[in-house]
Amino acid sequence: METTWLGTIYIKGPSTDESSIKKNKFGLPFSVMNTAHVVDKDSRSLGITWESLEGGKYKFYFHYTELENLQPNQSRQFNTFLNGKLLDSLFSPLYLSDFTIYSYAEEIQPGKQKISLYSTPNSTSPPLINALEIYRVHNLLGQETNQNDVEAISEVKAVYELKNIEWQGDPCGPEDYMWDCLSCNYSANHSSRIVSLNLSSRGLKGEIAPSIAELTSLQQLDLSNNNLSGVVPEVLAQLLSLRVLNLSGNNFTGPIPDALLERRKNGLLLSIDTNNWNSTNACPSNSCGKNNKSFVVPLAASLSGLLFVCFTIVVIIWRLKRKPHNKAPINLEGENVKSEDNNEDDHESYKNNKMERYTYSEIGKVTNNFQKVIGEGGFGKVYHGYLNGVEVAVKMLSSSSLQGHRQFHAELKLLLRVHHKNLTTLVGYCNDGSNVGLIYEYMAMGNLRSHLSGNRSSGIIILSWEQRLLIAIDAAQGLEYLHNGCKPPIIHRDVKSTNILLNEKFQAKLGDFGLSKVFGNNHTSTFAVNTTTTPVGMSASIAGTLGYLDPEYYISNWLNEKSDVYSFGIVLLEIITARPVVATTKQNKHIIEWVSSMIAKGDIKSIIDPRLKQGTVDINTVWKLIEISMACVSKTSNNRPTMSRVVTDLKECLTTNITRNNSSNVQTTPEYLTDSHEKYMASVEFSPTAR
């Protein structure tokens, strides 16, 4: 494929030292990224053409590195179009740092094609591009791998950092290119499934990855001869197709789960050893024998009577010791996440990590025998209830939820350690055998999305402009607390309008922390706006919700606080427009793309939710909120503000709106928002604001 660069100038970088350019995971050669195509400064667009002999789907990889050290009053920002259709918007390359943007074209007709890069009105420098890769998508014969298996095995790869195994593309297809260390079954009518995983002698460390239990069609699993530790997870017993499980040659502690022992009775071939086993938890040292060897359980045979009795007795004793007592407080082990802010109103912290524990029968009484369902998700159902006369919401984990089990315990662990007025409050929990549940304060007005998407006829209250600003501030403060008030910081990873809950006074609280990540103790939050410094972060598997997911995190698997900032920017655009994040029209236009097109037309009034009453919205604060939103959703994290900056800007925005309403004697604050309004008014100093 031959491309033609229209009216471009060929430039080179400022250095010949290969280490001067920081590479990304694509690892393009220095000779490629140290050169770029630009256009004359008087030109605002750069064009690339090529001839497509075949139509169909195409993938594009745009590779960028800024080679000019732009001054503070200079900027380079541009939009990218394919045959007149927007592919990417508001992009600014990073100085001497590789960045790759991936785009996908659903259908291209044969013939001449043109990619155009147009400078934005605020850009002082013309567009720049270092390299471009174009691929035509060929449909392969046969079914793709089941999506659940793809996500699970990808997370296994990320958890164990399996860089010495060639795992690229579809795990099972085509069959001739199936990934190493696994095998699949194939069906003409169904997606391929992973049925065998052999990671023996691969240097695996840490605990058994929970995502392995999501490979629900596994028949054989071999994790032998590694450095795995911790307890053997009971969730492995939920792999109903599993016939062979080899865990020998590792350093596990604790007893073998009862569920796995029961599966062994029904034919599971289980291999495990006790060489480095914690004998206190496994079986008494005086009855296990002097020579601790690997034991293998055949398909049709059981352990010897002595070993069976040994394990049975100890497991029974262990289970009795662990039997939950009514309302027994617990302390969870792990990192101590604490607040370093002494403001008791904004950053409250628990004096201890104790939380009230309830039995399953007590939960039944709280929920009136699980009578009223008020929500449902992948984890299970949420029930309405009363605890000591106070309304609560009880989230119960479904026994069929594998992913939810891990997220459930992650949320419990986090909420036991952090507390803030803009985070949902955990009242208690249930951990009674297989019955696991969390008890929250009841949020009477539901989630933010329901009030943005509903109408009055359905009983939904249409939020006023001032209510929306107050809700945005509440949610931003909760997120800012996670980033800066907690040490080490916490990344939410699933910020969206359905996870912003509203109480009876429409005060907002951030909820659902099942995907949250805690940074290590060595992590420091050193973010700056509009710098070329790469933000501190960590490698993490992709998690979140379609439409809200940070594209930089999606491409690089590099997670930091700015990923939450991006998602929050999407929420702000929802607050302004009340539109769905991804439209359900044929074009499936994302909310960022739609808002950008309206801004380009100068049609600010069309952006605002049409249900808002005319004359009650200050157009200056709308502009300000759009500016904040678009800064948050910048493609590169370095160009996004911190949540502290966002909170400050939002409060200034609300101040402007309140000042405007007071000066024009407009009363827009509903009665149920009076407390929040007066509290905010008392906490700010009014000063002139400018655009």
Side-chain angles (χ1 to χ4, degrees), residues 278-312:
N278 186 329
S279 60
T280 302
N281 292 330
C283 65
S285 58
N286 61 356
S287 62
C288 283
K290 295 181 180 180
N291 298 319
N292 289 327
K293 300 295 183 181
S294 165
F295 73 81
V296 179
V297 188
L299 287 172
S302 64
L303 289 170
S304 65
L306 179 61
L307 193 57
F308 177 81
V309 171
C310 166
F311 273 98
T312 302

Coordinates of all heavy atoms in Angstrom, one line a residue, residues 278-312:
N278 N 2.1 -25.4 55.5 CA 2.0 -25.0 56.9 C 1.4 -26.1 57.7 O 0.2 -26.3 57.6 CB 1.2 -23.7 57.0 CG 1.1 -23.1 58.4 OD1 1.2 -23.8 59.3 ND2 1.1 -21.8 58.4
S279 N 2.2 -26.8 58.4 CA 1.6 -28.0 59.0 C 0.6 -27.7 60.1 O -0.3 -28.5 60.4 CB 2.8 -28.8 59.7 OG 3.5 -28.1 60.7
T280 N 0.7 -26.5 60.6 CA -0.4 -26.2 61.6 C -1.7 -26.1 61.0 O -2.7 -26.5 61.6 CB 0.0 -24.8 62.2 OG1 1.3 -24.8 62.8 CG2 -1.0 -24.4 63.3
N281 N -1.8 -25.7 59.8 CA -3.1 -25.6 59.1 C -3.4 -26.8 58.3 O -4.6 -27.1 58.0 CB -3.1 -24.4 58.1 CG -3.0 -23.1 58.9 OD1 -3.5 -23.0 60.0 ND2 -2.4 -22.1 58.3
A282 N -2.4 -27.6 57.9 CA -2.7 -28.7 57.0 C -3.1 -29.9 57.9 O -4.2 -30.5 57.7 CB -1.4 -29.1 56.2
C283 N -2.3 -30.4 58.7 CA -2.6 -31.5 59.7 C -1.5 -31.5 60.7 O -0.4 -31.0 60.6 CB -2.7 -32.8 58.9 SG -1.2 -33.4 58.2
P284 N -1.8 -32.1 61.9 CA -0.9 -32.1 63.0 C 0.4 -32.8 62.6 O 0.4 -33.8 61.9 CB -1.6 -32.9 64.1 CG -3.1 -32.8 63.8 CD -3.1 -32.7 62.3
S285 N 1.5 -32.2 63.0 CA 2.8 -32.7 62.6 C 3.1 -34.2 63.1 O 3.8 -34.9 62.5 CB 4.0 -31.8 63.2 OG 3.9 -31.7 64.6
N286 N 2.5 -34.6 64.2 CA 2.7 -35.9 64.7 C 1.8 -37.0 64.0 O 1.9 -38.1 64.3 CB 2.4 -36.0 66.2 CG 1.0 -35.6 66.6 OD1 0.2 -35.2 65.7 ND2 0.6 -35.7 67.8
S287 N 1.0 -36.6 63.1 CA 0.2 -37.6 62.4 C 0.4 -37.5 60.9 O -0.1 -38.4 60.2 CB -1.3 -37.3 62.7 OG -1.7 -36.1 62.2
C288 N 1.2 -36.5 60.4 CA 1.4 -36.4 58.9 C 2.5 -37.3 58.5 O 2.7 -37.5 57.3 CB 1.6 -35.0 58.5 SG 0.1 -34.0 58.5
G289 N 3.3 -37.8 59.3 CA 4.4 -38.6 58.9 C 5.7 -37.8 58.7 O 5.7 -36.6 58.6
K290 N 6.8 -38.4 58.7 CA 8.1 -37.7 58.6 C 8.4 -37.3 57.2 O 9.0 -36.3 57.0 CB 9.2 -38.6 59.1 CG 9.2 -39.0 60.5 CD 10.3 -39.9 61.0 CE 10.3 -40.2 62.4 NZ 11.4 -41.1 62.8
N291 N 8.0 -38.1 56.2 CA 8.3 -37.7 54.8 C 7.1 -37.1 54.1 O 6.2 -37.8 53.7 CB 8.7 -39.0 54.1 CG 10.0 -39.5 54.6 OD1 10.9 -38.8 55.0 ND2 10.1 -40.9 54.8
N292 N 7.0 -35.8 54.1 CA 5.9 -35.1 53.4 C 6.1 -35.2 51.9 O 7.0 -34.5 51.4 CB 5.8 -33.7 53.9 CG 5.3 -33.6 55.3 OD1 4.5 -34.4 55.7 ND2 5.8 -32.6 56.0
K293 N 5.4 -35.9 51.2 CA 5.5 -36.1 49.8 C 4.2 -35.6 49.1 O 3.2 -35.3 49.7 CB 5.7 -37.5 49.4 CG 7.0 -38.1 50.0 CD 8.3 -37.4 49.5 CE 9.5 -38.1 50.0 NZ 10.8 -37.4 49.5
S294 N 4.4 -35.5 47.8 CA 3.2 -35.1 47.0 C 2.2 -36.2 47.0 O 2.5 -37.4 47.0 CB 3.7 -34.9 45.5 OG 2.6 -34.8 44.6
F295 N 0.9 -35.8 47.1 CA -0.1 -36.8 47.1 C -0.9 -36.6 45.8 O -1.2 -35.5 45.4 CB -1.0 -36.9 48.3 CG -2.0 -35.7 48.5 CD1 -3.2 -35.7 47.8 CD2 -1.7 -34.7 49.3 CE1 -4.1 -34.7 47.9 CE2 -2.6 -33.6 49.5 CZ -3.8 -33.7 48.8
V296 N -1.3 -37.7 45.1 CA -2.0 -37.7 43.9 C -3.3 -38.5 44.1 O -3.2 -39.6 44.6 CB -1.3 -38.2 42.7 CG1 -2.1 -38.2 41.5 CG2 0.0 -37.4 42.5
V297 N -4.5 -37.9 43.8 CA -5.7 -38.6 44.0 C -6.2 -39.1 42.7 O -6.5 -38.4 41.8 CB -6.8 -37.6 44.6 CG1 -8.0 -38.3 45.0 CG2 -6.2 -36.8 45.8
P298 N -6.2 -40.4 42.5 CA -6.6 -41.0 41.2 C -8.1 -40.8 41.0 O -8.8 -40.4 41.9 CB -6.3 -42.5 41.4 CG -5.4 -42.6 42.6 CD -5.7 -41.4 43.4
L299 N -8.5 -41.1 39.7 CA -9.9 -40.8 39.3 C -10.8 -41.7 40.1 O -11.9 -41.3 40.5 CB -10.1 -41.1 37.8 CG -9.5 -40.1 36.9 CD1 -9.6 -40.6 35.5 CD2 -10.3 -38.8 37.0
A300 N -10.4 -42.9 40.4 CA -11.4 -43.8 41.0 C -10.9 -44.3 42.4 O -11.3 -45.4 42.9 CB -11.6 -45.0 40.1
A301 N -9.9 -43.6 43.0 CA -9.4 -44.0 44.3 C -9.4 -42.9 45.3 O -9.5 -41.8 44.9 CB -8.0 -44.6 44.1
S302 N -9.3 -43.2 46.5 CA -9.3 -42.2 47.6 C -7.9 -42.3 48.3 O -7.1 -43.1 48.0 CB -10.4 -42.5 48.6 OG -10.2 -43.7 49.2
L303 N -7.7 -41.3 49.1 CA -6.4 -41.3 49.9 C -6.4 -42.5 50.9 O -7.5 -43.0 51.2 CB -6.3 -40.0 50.7 CG -6.0 -38.7 49.9 CD1 -6.2 -37.5 50.8 CD2 -4.6 -38.8 49.4
S304 N -5.3 -42.8 51.4 CA -5.2 -43.8 52.5 C -6.0 -43.3 53.7 O -6.2 -42.1 53.9 CB -3.8 -44.0 52.8 OG -3.2 -42.9 53.4
G305 N -6.5 -44.3 54.5 CA -7.3 -44.0 55.6 C -6.7 -43.0 56.6 O -7.3 -42.1 57.1
L306 N -5.4 -43.2 56.8 CA -4.7 -42.3 57.8 C -4.7 -40.9 57.3 O -5.0 -40.0 58.1 CB -3.3 -42.9 58.1 CG -2.4 -42.1 59.1 CD1 -3.1 -42.1 60.4 CD2 -1.0 -42.6 59.1
L307 N -4.2 -40.7 56.1 CA -4.1 -39.3 55.6 C -5.5 -38.7 55.5 O -5.7 -37.5 55.8 CB -3.5 -39.3 54.2 CG -3.0 -38.0 53.7 CD1 -2.1 -37.3 54.7 CD2 -2.3 -38.1 52.3
F308 N -6.5 -39.4 55.1 CA -7.9 -38.9 55.0 C -8.4 -38.5 56.4 O -8.9 -37.4 56.5 CB -8.8 -40.0 54.4 CG -10.2 -39.5 54.4 CD1 -10.6 -38.7 53.3 CD2 -11.1 -39.9 55.3 CE1 -12.0 -38.3 53.3 CE2 -12.4 -39.5 55.3 CZ -12.8 -38.7 54.2
V309 N -8.1 -39.3 57.4 CA -8.6 -39.0 58.8 C -7.9 -37.7 59.2 O -8.4 -36.8 59.8 CB -8.4 -40.1 59.7 CG1 -8.6 -39.7 61.2 CG2 -9.3 -41.3 59.4
C310 N -6.5 -37.6 58.9 CA -5.7 -36.5 59.3 C -6.3 -35.2 58.8 O -6.6 -34.2 59.5 CB -4.3 -36.7 58.8 SG -3.3 -35.2 58.9
F311 N -6.6 -35.2 57.5 CA -7.1 -34.0 56.9 C -8.5 -33.7 57.4 O -8.9 -32.5 57.6 CB -7.1 -34.1 55.4 CG -5.7 -33.7 54.8 CD1 -4.8 -34.6 54.4 CD2 -5.5 -32.3 54.6 CE1 -3.6 -34.2 53.9 CE2 -4.3 -31.9 54.0 CZ -3.3 -32.9 53.7
T312 N -9.3 -34.7 57.5 CA -10.7 -34.5 57.9 C -10.8 -33.9 59.3 O -11.5 -32.9 59.5 CB -11.4 -35.8 57.9 OG1 -11.4 -36.4 56.6 CG2 -12.9 -35.6 58.2

